[in-house]
Amino acid sequence: MSDAVFRTLLDAASAKYRPAGPFAYHFARGKLGADPLFRMLLQRGMFPAATRVVDLGCGQGLLASWLLAARRLHDCGRWTGEWPAPPKLLGLRGIDRNLRDVARARRALAAEAAIVEIRQGDLATLEAPDFGPVDVVTILDVLHYLDFAAQESLLRKVRAALPAGGLLFARVGDTDAGLPHRLSTAVDLAVAFARGHRLPRLYCRSSRSWIALLEGLGFSVHDEPMGTGKSFANVMLVAQVPH
Ligand SMILES: C[S@@+](CC[C@H](N)C(=O)[O-])C[C@H]1O[C@@H](n2cnc3c(N)ncnc32)[C@H](O)[C@@H]1O
């Protein structure tokens, strides 16, 4: 993708946050621009062509804004031929427990209410109906905020909510990464603090342990290489419910 198209995408996805205040706008711009995760999801065509998404721990709803902006560029003929067509979102439900993030997300995505719904809720106590109809669940940099039992319980519910062929994208830390993992954890704590959270306790696992947990729940799992940069100690696990 050319720098110009990427900048247009970044501008469009972050502009949504201007009404939600300077923090929301600059945070969106900084994260969407610097974190290779968002680029990768589109560049590798990881979503089905038309899809219903549940984004668990959605924060201020960056994923929704990013995917919608990408699809709009595509639909008005300004997409790049080098990357696959962005997914058409049939619905996206974001859930987060942080009231300030939920408020920022709702404000930024108010015009998208036909497609995007942001709920306030605790992932540790989600029930099956909270998922609604879904093809892809995303849990991006969130699972380590839940204790080990809650992680397993949540992933079990995700597995039950997804249809055959359904996908889970989980970006998680990897304790086997050593120093990079410890640095990454320190960054997470600092960001959580800056976003108005209390300093949380984190519950981390090795990449092998995450994969074993997901496979034990009946997913088939692969690790999508993240490359370098901000996500230096994170792994992106793609877990699929067998057909
Ligand atoms: C590092 S942020 C990631 C936000 C978003 N996934 C993204 O990539 O921009 C972690 C998010 O998880 C949310 N979170 C942590 N524990 C949670 C819980 N038990 N229930 C709901 N949300 C939770 C936090 O409020 C925060 O917004």
Side-chain angles (χ1 to χ4, degrees):
M1 173 182 272
S2 73
D3 285 352
V5 178
F6 183 78
R7 211 166 315 110
T8 308
L9 173 57
L10 180 58
D11 287 347
S14 5
K16 292 250 169 228
Y17 290 88
R18 283 199 186 278
F23 177 88
Y25 171 72
H26 289 293
F27 185 82
R29 205 171 170 84
K31 186 157 183 188
L32 290 172
D35 189 336
L37 164 78
F38 295 97
R39 183 187 291 246
M40 180 187 111
L41 289 169
L42 293 173
Q43 188 173 16
R44 299 191 193 162
M46 291 176 63
F47 285 90
T51 189
R52 298 161 301 182
V53 176
V54 172
D55 185 19
L56 298 178
C58 63
Q60 62 176 44
L62 295 181
L63 179 68
S65 187
W66 181 252
L67 295 178
L68 287 167
R71 183 67 193 193
R72 270 193 198 120
L73 281 184
H74 171 269
D75 290 350
C76 67
R78 297 173 67 196
W79 194 242
T80 167
E82 299 155 34
W83 287 16
K88 179 176 171 54
L89 278 185
L90 303 175
L92 185 146
R93 178 176 294 174
I95 303 174
D96 202 285
R97 75 173 166 195
N98 185 274
L99 282 169
R100 273 181 276 198
D101 277 330
V102 165
R104 288 172 191 133
R106 286 183 176 153
R107 186 80 201 272
L109 298 163
E112 316 288 354
I115 298 173
V116 178
E117 178 196 14
I118 304 294
R119 292 187 173 192
Q120 200 259 332
D122 187 342
L123 302 182
T125 56
L126 280 195
E127 301 294 344
D130 295 322
F131 288 89
V134 59
D135 307 299
V136 180
V137 172
T138 52
I139 316 181
L140 305 172
D141 304 341
V142 176
L143 278 168
H144 54 297
Y145 294 105
L146 302 181
D147 68 37
F148 294 120
Q151 290 170 358
E152 181 165 348
S153 162
L154 177 63
L155 292 171
R156 192 179 297 282
K157 289 175 199 165
V158 170
R159 169 71 179 79
L162 284 168
L167 290 163
L168 163 65
F169 301 150
R171 188 164 73 169
V172 293
D174 174 12
T175 51
D176 278 353
L179 179 63
H181 171 71
R182 290 198 292 281
L183 289 173
S184 176
T185 302
V187 170
D188 275 359
L189 288 170
V191 171
F193 188 68
R195 297 168 82 208
H197 301 246
R198 278 175 294 136
L199 276 189
R201 177 167 170 205
L202 302 180
Y203 299 85
C204 304
R205 298 173 186 256
S206 66
S207 158
R208 284 168 301 142
S209 160
W210 286 117
I211 291 172
L213 173 58
L214 289 163
E215 288 180 342
L217 294 172
F219 286 102
S220 78
V221 186
H222 76 267
D223 169 355
E224 191 76 28
M226 285 294 303
T228 54
K230 185 220 161 271
S231 45
F232 42 109
N234 292 335
V235 288
M236 179 66 157
L237 300 177
V238 177
Q240 186 163 37
V241 178
H243 286 280

